[in-house]
Amino acid sequence: MDHIEQAVACALSPTADPVLKQQATQYCEQVKASPDGWQSCLALFVREPKSTPETRLFCLQVIEEALVSRSNNLDDSRLGFFRQTFMDYIQREFVSGGVDNTLSSEPPYLKNKFAHAIALLFRQTYLKSWTTFFADMLAFITPLPQSSGKSNMKMVDLFLRILMSIDEEVVNTLTSRISSKEENTLNINIKDRMREQDVPALANAWYELLTEYKERDLSFAEMLLRIVGVYVVWIDISLIVNERFVSLIYSYLLTTSIRNAAADCLTDIIKKGMKPLDKLQLISILGIVDVLQQVDLSSDSEFRGRVARLVNNLGLQLCQIWQDTNPQANSTYPPTANPTAYTHISQLVPILLQFLRDEDDNVSEAVFGFLREILNIFKTIKKATGSLPQEQKVLMRQILESIVMKMKYGEDMDWVCVAIAGGSESVGTIGEDSIGDEDMLNFIELRRELKRFYDQIAALSASLTTSFLHSAVTTTLTTFVNEKAAGSAGGSDWRDLELALYLLYLYGEAIKGIPQFAVVAPSVGANGGKNVNPIPPVGAPLTPLGECLFEMCKSGVSAYPHPSVSATFFEIACRYSNFFEIRPDCIPDVLEAFVDPRGLHHPLLANRTRVWYLFWRFTKDLKTKLSPFVQTVLTSIQDVLTIEASLPPMLAPDFDLSTFKDQTFETKTYLFEAVGLLISQDTIPAQQQFEYLSAVVTPCLTEIQKRLEACRAIQPSSNGTVGGVSGITAGSPRHQDLELVWTLHHRLMTLGSIAKGFPDVLTNKKGAAVAGTTGGPCAQIFKQVAEITLEALVTLSRFEVIRSAARFTFGRLINCLGQDSQPYLPPLITGLLQECSIMELAEFLPFMSQVAHKFKATIISILNGLLFPLVQKVFFFLNQVPNGTDEALALVELRKSYLAFLMGLFASELENVFVTRANGQHLNLILQSVLHYAQDMSDVPVSRMAFGILLRAVNSWGSQGENAGGYGAPVGNGSRSGSVSPDYSERLEAPGFYQFMYEHIVRVTFEVPLKPTFDLQDGQSMLVLGEIAGLQKAIVQKQGDVFLSYLSQVYLPSINCPPDLAQEYVQALQQLDAKQFKKYFQAFVQKSRS
């Protein structure tokens, strides 16, 4: 034993020699692993005089290890030795020599460890040799001779710890432990024996001790309440729920400092699993609602949270009973059960509303579960009866008022410009991950949860929600207007105004369908039926929502000095932009707010950037209504249309300009697009459009030209990265160079964004009236933009950000210039492809698809020279081994973009470009690449795209005979004498496609679905199967009997298909329609694979 003491001391000593420390640790591990090590440790633990607490803790760890891991080696005699030793120690330490109101001198952690060891021994012996365990322990608790009738406090302390350990080891299902089937059975048997033999005595002891320690020591009473809570889950409820016991618990709830524990104990009692009628009886007996009305909830928020949890669980139980006993669910329960449950719910609702309105958010959130289930009950009632009774409507109004009250910002909270909605609607706002105030983040999440309840109520009763909204909004705005008239507009609390506007914003999501702003009688449609959403005339009577919006616009509330009010005002104006179609007289009020310091000129950056985006949305939705205000708006925002491009003062060695983000500028591009939308309106004369556009664009062109001169001096080796060891700082030549390039990027993006606001001249029905059409005044400005963009690209093509900006800008100029943009395309394409990356190429291919779609046959001469070099570039990248995850993902995107590009050429009826003199000889290579991806089931969507391209190819060239390019000649051998047919409506032949179709396409339509890797249970794979079935039907349509004979006489026999099945397959392919054949083909594949 001396060795154990020395080893533990050395192992734990921070000053011990490392070698000795390691040896001591190894010795301790040997003691733990020794079959008899527990005997030495047991003797050392109970020895007098006592060893150090650290040594005794180690001894208990060894004892626990023996009782848990080596229990099979402990026979009855050894277990008896454990029992006797423990009992002797308890007698000595906790019973003999006891003094009133004193505790054992053992440290608490040692008492807990010892209690746990006793619980482990109990688990091994209770069913066999120590059936009197609880009687023995209770005997030690009895009053000592010198205690004046009081229980032995030392032993009570230990016994309560033992009971908690027994719960952890035997009862508690939430305790993390790995148990075998045998151990679970043992635990069940122990609980059964306890219920039969000892629980009544334990319950009586708990009551006696709770009564005694209410006056003697509340910490013991608190632990007793916890024990009752964990044991009540599985014992006879009547042992606890009786008049004397419940009254005692209530006395703790009402009068003592440990009322939190009493509330938790009652919660555990309520949560006990029982049949609905039994639980209903239990709730009636408890009478919790009556008691809660006596509880003081005024000061202690933690206690309110505990009681709220109690109310929530009680409410959840009652709601579940109501659902179970609902007669509409074919309930077999007595007819009184359901109304009784609802009566209890109704009695509990006032307390629910009290907690819902609590100033502490944690208290409010504690009852959300109960609230959710009440609303579900209302939903069930409405579904059964078609409407809600008045009683439920009144209650729902009270709930709605409480929810809205809770949505209000607290007195000590500051507002931040976060998105009201999520996703794309958060453009220009502060990201929640950048908010450091945890309370603010919690409030944002609380509002989201409350909004769900708001939406539920709106779905249950739109009229109630509308009435409440109208009252809340108009009352608040009327108060504001009155105060403003009295000269005290700032007297209104911003929290009230923000809340009213926030509710108005939420209404659009809560009410299903299209918001109605005006009252209008349904009109008769062309087919004699009623129009579901007739357009109201200007000046029609307003709905409550329309009245709220009108009041908002005319009240001047957007001028309130707090930023939250104007921010929400603009959100509402964009959400309900259709309102201004019927009340255009409100547009000037909103536009004025947009362009002055309330909006685009707001002093706060977060508000300002959000309004840039919202102004674009407002302009886009109401473009035709804004014509009278264009000049005024452009004049008012001229000073905002500035471009600021700066880099961090210190650029690290790994800095890369191509990955640097300027979120503020990216949001500002919406503002520039809005300018384009305003200028390009059909109602503005062409010359006036030219003047507006020139005023905005010319300064930018001048700046670009000026900076391009400076850019020509940038070192050719500079490409946007820093490199080196120490990085570069502001003011250094390289830092200035990168900032110069960054500025050019921003200006090119600005020009592209303005052009984006202009309509597509090739598809615009009123093309003649649009100034951007060929020959129009604005077209001349856009040609200057195209020329300077190309100049920037040629000068700085080694910078990815310039290539990206040029691609973006030309993607918009194509729409503005139409056919006039074609001369710029060859140098643009050359500049973009010269030094492009994998991701750039993946983004360039959709750009080329856009060009092909816009210009169709007129672009074929450009595509003719571009196609194969572009394909070669794609193959070069796709044949590379990816360097890292990002590059692997980029290659996946490139693969998809490549196939989408090929598909786009077919969709734009440009398949002739594949078979020109320049490209016909490469058709085989392109088709083989498509065939490769069709067979690759590691990426099912890509396989589907590839089969789609093969289908297009068959539809284009599948009717050719075998002599079209010479029988047996490789695909692509031979070509037409001219490079491109002058008549683009005449489809060119594809030499060798006939052979390719029979040798490869037909083969893969059978091989792919018959692969073991083809998952017939996967939805995406089934889409591929449908594509394959359609492909075979297309070949039949083009080749007819030739293909059918080939299948029945050549191919199907070659794959060992039985003749009868082959004949059946050919008939199905010939006779069934596409939908029927798809089903047959699926069955054929399943049958063939089985």
Side-chain angles (χ1 to χ4, degrees), residues 820-836:
D820 287 355
S821 64
Q822 287 200 32
Y824 303 107
L825 292 178
L828 171 72
I829 293 168
T830 301
L832 292 178
L833 290 180
Q834 207 165 22
E835 300 186 50
C836 72

Side-chain angles (χ1 to χ4, degrees), residues 9-261:
C10 182
L12 296 177
S13 173
T15 59
D17 179 83
V19 176
L20 291 176
K21 193 179 182 81
Q22 183 179 6
Q23 292 175 353
T25 302
Q26 291 174 348
Y27 179 78
C28 290
E29 292 301 319
Q30 291 173 2
V31 171
K32 280 186 179 181
S34 170
D36 299 322
W38 62 269
Q39 296 183 24
S40 300
C41 288
L42 180 58
L44 181 56
F45 175 75
V46 300
R47 188 192 71 185
E48 280 284 359
K50 295 177 181 177
S51 182
T52 63
E54 294 79 12
T55 300
R56 300 179 72 223
L57 179 64
F58 170 76
C59 290
L60 286 173
Q61 290 172 344
V62 175
I63 291 168
E64 285 184 345
E65 183 74 16
L67 289 170
V68 173
S69 302
R70 288 190 289 278
S71 59
N72 293 334
N73 298 328
L74 298 175
D75 55 22
D76 290 343
S77 63
R78 285 182 169 85
L79 291 172
F81 178 69
F82 262 120
R83 172 185 171 182
Q84 188 59 50
T85 305
F86 279 169
M87 291 295 282
D88 291 343
Y89 173 74
I90 292 172
Q91 179 70 42
R92 185 190 78 201
E93 182 68 27
F94 295 92
V95 180
S96 299
V99 181
D100 286 354
N101 297 320
T102 60
L103 296 176
S104 168
S105 60
E106 296 280 28
Y109 66 87
L110 272 184
K111 285 190 282 189
N112 286 334
K113 199 70 171 174
F114 178 56
H116 187 247
I118 293 177
L120 293 174
L121 181 62
F122 160 82
R123 191 170 181 273
Q124 297 293 331
T125 60
Y126 179 64
L127 295 179
K128 299 177 182 177
S129 58
W130 201 357
T131 58
T132 60
F133 175 84
F134 290 106
D136 294 344
M137 293 298 162
L138 291 174
F140 284 146
I141 291 175
T142 56
L144 299 172
Q146 68 273 31
S147 66
S148 303
K150 296 178 181 179
S151 62
N152 178 358
M153 182 179 281
K154 286 184 181 180
M155 189 59 206
V156 170
D157 180 30
L158 177 63
F159 185 51
L160 296 183
R161 296 174 193 270
I162 292 171
L163 288 176
M164 292 302 296
S165 291
I166 289 175
D167 172 70
E168 293 173 5
E169 286 299 320
V170 177
V171 178
N172 197 330
T173 57
L174 299 179
T175 301
S176 177
R177 57 172 178 260
I178 301 174
S179 301
S180 64
K181 183 178 179 180
E182 293 76 12
E183 289 174 323
N184 287 331
T185 302
L186 174 62
N187 291 340
I188 292 171
N189 292 336
I190 289 173
K191 286 193 293 184
D192 289 342
R193 174 70 65 83
M194 286 177 65
R195 272 191 288 256
E196 295 171 6
Q197 177 176 296
D198 293 306
V199 166
L202 284 174
N204 187 64
W206 295 335
Y207 173 78
E208 297 293 343
L209 292 171
L210 276 170
T211 303
E212 176 183 343
Y213 283 90
K214 185 176 181 183
E215 305 297 334
R216 191 174 177 190
D217 192 323
L218 287 176
S219 65
F220 279 60
E222 184 174 12
M223 185 178 287
L224 278 161
L225 288 169
R226 285 179 54 203
I227 289 170
V228 171
V230 296
Y231 277 79
V232 77
V233 175
W234 58 276
I235 66 175
D236 182 358
I237 191 67
S238 65
L239 296 172
I240 305 300
V241 181
N242 51 63
E243 184 176 353
R244 67 166 192 162
F245 216 129
V246 171
S247 298
L248 182 59
I249 296 174
Y250 281 156
S251 69
Y252 276 102
L253 183 71
L254 295 170
T255 61
T256 67
S257 60
I258 60 166
R259 54 186 185 170
N260 289 346

Side-chain angles (χ1 to χ4, degrees), residues 803-812 832 840 843-844 847:
R803 298 194 299 268
S804 175
R807 185 176 64 249
F808 170 84
T809 302
F810 260 94
R812 279 72 194 164
L832 292 178
E840 282 184 277
E843 293 171 353
F844 174 77
F847 169 76

Side-chain angles (χ1 to χ4, degrees), residues 416-435 444 448 505 509 567 571 574-575 605-614 616-617 663-664 666-668 670:
V416 292
C417 185
V418 294
I420 295 179
S424 61
E425 294 306 307
S426 62
V427 175
T429 61
I430 295 174
E432 290 180 23
D433 55 353
S434 64
I435 299 175
I444 292 170
R448 290 198 185 115
Y505 179 87
E509 291 180 1
E571 298 283 354
C574 291
R575 162 154 283 183
L605 177 63
N607 284 56
R608 195 163 63 242
T609 55
R610 178 61 176 169
V611 175
W612 293 343
Y613 167 74
L614 294 175
W616 165 77
R617 278 184 53 191
Q663 297 291 349
T664 301
E666 288 179 11
T667 306
K668 201 167 193 176
Y670 286 101

